[in-house]
Amino acid sequence: MSEDTDIEQDAVPYEDVAYGNDIKPVVLSEKVKYKDLCYDGQREFVFEYFEHLSPDLKVGCFDIFILYHDDDYKEVNKFRTDLSNIKLSNGRQIQAVLSNGEELISLAGDSSNFLKTCDDKDLIRNWRIIAEASRSVGFIRDPTSTGTGFRVGSKYFATARHVVYSMAATNDIIDIRKLRSRKCYVEFEYLSHNQKQNPENLFHFTDIVYENVDLDVIILQLREENNKSFPPPISLISEIHKGSLLYIISHPNGLPQMSDPKIELYQLKKDDVKNSKEWAASKGIEIQNEYSDIENKDKILFHCASKHGASGALGIMVDKRSNEPHGVLMLLRGYPNFLYENISFTDADKTNFLIVEQGVLLSSVYDDMKSQEKYNDLVEDINDSLHDLDNIDCK
């Protein structure tokens, strides 16, 4: 960079510009000086050398290029907002672009006025992976309630245990006769409100093959019918890789299937629960067991759009190294419990207590099954439908 460069001058050109795998030298004429690149001069410069730029960089002129990690997006976006409020000596705004290594996102300048305040752009590749996973997700229902779940193994359906308990419990025990009723079933491929129910997508249950009260997970065997194939199972189960994107696929309130993108994991802080309980008590709200089991290490906290009927939803991870969905969690609940009651809170109120969702890690469920001999056949069956589970790189 020239010593004459002023911090308020426009974008400084590089002497070498990358184009694909080649480096094409850009030779500047003597009349082009860094300090002379005022706004109009910059436009002329960019117009002359624009064709040499990599396609990802063809977003016009910019002053600042920020390479960021997905985990830091919120902080980077705030920094971008602060930058956009700075006026240069010539009266224009600072122009900046962000890149997470895959996408280039222009976040300032003339075009920034048209951007959403929440930048949730996503790769089409990611949505194709999500669409593949969505075929494994269905909603379980009976005449009184609904929940979400997903296919595993050759003929099984996994969901939250409390969903099945609410449908088929008698004297605190899940009644297998109620579960086998024709009124209790799972439906797949429910995608729109006006969709006619297709019998080909409906399946009933024959048995409970796995349940764990502490993990709040149950796996049900689906009834096999002639000339009727089960939807595909989730074919990868893994731990959550740092930096990978997470999505929740669910049927909240028995509605058509939805995807909640880019789920944010939450790290529980020391006084979160204590402060929340104190605030609830000050409002006269019953706080007993409102945050029970929140520190369970087999479960994980995150923020998503949770509603009744989403329990049992599949959480998938989209990893840059794989073109398949990785099943990583099952949505179980939201904290605190009183948010599900008929109590209304203002947005200001909601900043005074911890609101967070919890799911069980599928790797923990799998490890629990492997640790008990009685589930050997189930583990073997699920293994048969998984792709190199033991060779997944979780680092």
Side-chain angles (χ1 to χ4, degrees):
M1 185 178 292
S2 167
E3 293 180 0
D4 297 329
T5 302
D6 189 307
I7 195 171
E8 288 196 351
Q9 291 297 332
D10 291 330
V12 178
Y14 291 95
E15 294 184 357
D16 292 318
V17 179
Y19 182 80
N21 294 324
D22 301 321
I23 299 293
K24 296 187 177 182
V26 177
V27 181
L28 305 180
S29 63
E30 284 298 318
K31 66 179 181 179
V32 178
K33 302 294 184 183
Y34 292 128
K35 64 181 180 180
D36 294 329
L37 285 178
C38 62
Y39 198 45
D40 290 337
Q42 185 192 53
R43 286 182 180 275
E44 293 178 7
F45 177 84
V46 170
F47 180 78
E48 182 177 354
Y49 297 106
F50 189 71
E51 63 180 291
H52 298 293
L53 290 172
S54 164
D56 288 344
L57 295 177
K58 291 183 178 181
V59 295
C61 305
F62 56 86
D63 303 288
I64 299 173
F65 178 88
I66 304 172
L67 186 65
Y68 71 98
H69 190 282
D70 289 331
D71 290 349
D72 302 320
Y73 176 75
K74 282 191 172 181
E75 290 76 10
V76 172
N77 190 39
K78 181 180 183 304
F79 179 56
R80 188 277 310 171
T81 301
D82 293 339
L83 285 175
S84 68
N85 292 327
I86 298 174
K87 296 288 185 180
L88 301 180
S89 58
N90 59 6
R92 72 177 185 83
Q93 289 179 299
I94 289 179
Q95 299 184 24
V97 291
L98 303 185
S99 176
N100 66 357
E102 290 186 349
E103 307 173 78
L104 191 67
I105 307 171
S106 177
L107 292 175
D110 296 339
S111 64
S112 66
N113 295 330
F114 300 97
L115 287 175
K116 298 184 294 183
T117 56
C118 177
D119 192 332
D120 57 359
K121 288 192 287 293
D122 212 344
L123 293 175
I124 296 300
R125 167 189 175 272
N126 296 352
W127 284 103
R128 289 181 177 176
I129 294 173
I130 295 164
E132 180 183 343
S134 72
R135 298 171 59 207
S136 304
V137 177
F139 76 102
I140 178 174
R141 68 184 308 170
D142 75 349
T144 62
S145 58
T146 66
T148 305
F150 52 92
R151 280 274 293 110
V152 292
S154 64
K155 53 186 175 182
Y156 304 112
F157 180 78
T159 187
R161 184 184 181 277
H162 73 263
V163 168
V164 176
Y165 183 88
S166 67
M167 294 178 179
T170 300
N171 297 325
D172 293 329
I173 298 175
I174 295 176
D175 188 337
I176 194 66
R177 293 173 300 176
K178 289 184 178 181
L179 187 63
R180 291 171 177 166
S181 165
R182 301 295 295 182
K183 295 180 180 180
C184 184
Y185 59 89
V186 56
E187 180 176 354
F188 295 90
E189 297 293 328
Y190 177 38
L191 304 177
S192 64
H193 288 281
N194 58 354
Q195 181 176 321
K196 184 178 179 180
Q197 194 174 67
N198 183 353
E200 291 297 311
N201 296 325
L202 269 58
F203 297 89
H204 295 85
F205 307 106
T206 64
D207 206 355
I208 298 170
V209 296
Y210 171 86
E211 62 177 318
N212 186 305
V213 176
D214 293 332
L215 296 180
D216 194 10
V217 174
I218 193 167
I219 298 179
L220 308 174
Q221 182 172 322
L222 298 173
R223 178 177 292 129
E224 299 180 79
E225 300 181 35
N226 292 332
N227 302 318
K228 194 172 177 180
S229 300
F230 296 132
I234 287 297
S235 59
L236 283 174
I237 295 176
S238 82
E239 298 175 358
I240 297 175
H241 304 176
K242 184 178 181 181
S244 294
L245 297 176
L246 302 178
Y247 302 78
I248 298 287
I249 305 173
S250 68
H251 287 275
N253 289 327
L255 294 173
Q257 193 177 89
M258 301 178 187
S259 174
D260 193 2
K262 299 180 180 178
I263 300 305
E264 300 175 13
L265 298 182
Y266 183 81
Q267 184 65 46
L268 189 67
K269 300 179 183 65
K270 179 181 178 182
D271 294 325
D272 277 348
V273 173
K274 174 178 173 290
N275 294 339
S276 296
K277 287 185 174 182
E278 289 177 353
W279 180 87
S282 72
K283 297 294 182 179
I285 300 172
E286 174 58 48
I287 58 175
Q288 184 177 4
N289 297 324
E290 290 297 328
Y291 290 96
S292 63
D293 201 40
I294 196 170
E295 297 186 53
N296 192 319
K297 299 303 182 183
D298 289 318
K299 300 176 183 178
I300 192 166
L301 301 176
F302 48 87
H303 291 301
C304 71
S306 177
K307 292 183 179 179
H308 282 295
S311 294
L314 173 65
I316 68 163
M317 175 180 70
V318 173
D319 191 273
K320 296 177 182 178
R321 296 161 292 182
S322 170
N323 288 322
E324 291 188 74
H326 294 227
V328 292
L329 63 88
M330 176 194 290
L331 174 63
L332 297 179
R333 63 181 299 174
Y335 291 104
N337 293 331
F338 57 70
L339 281 185
Y340 289 103
E341 299 171 5
N342 190 23
I343 306 175
S344 45
F345 299 96
T346 66
D347 289 342
D349 283 339
K350 291 180 180 179
T351 63
N352 291 308
F353 57 92
L354 174 63
I355 301 176
V356 70
E357 288 74 41
Q358 183 190 60
V360 61
L361 294 167
L362 295 188
S363 56
S364 294
V365 177
Y366 185 77
D367 287 343
D368 179 65
M369 286 191 292
K370 287 177 64 177
S371 69
Q372 301 182 61
E373 187 176 349
K374 63 180 178 179
Y375 296 125
N376 283 352
D377 290 343
L378 177 62
V379 170
E380 182 177 352
D381 181 282
I382 292 176
N383 263 335
D384 288 342
S385 66
L386 295 177
H387 297 174
D388 298 324
L389 174 67
D390 295 328
N391 296 323
I392 292 175
D393 180 9
C394 298
K395 304 300 182 183

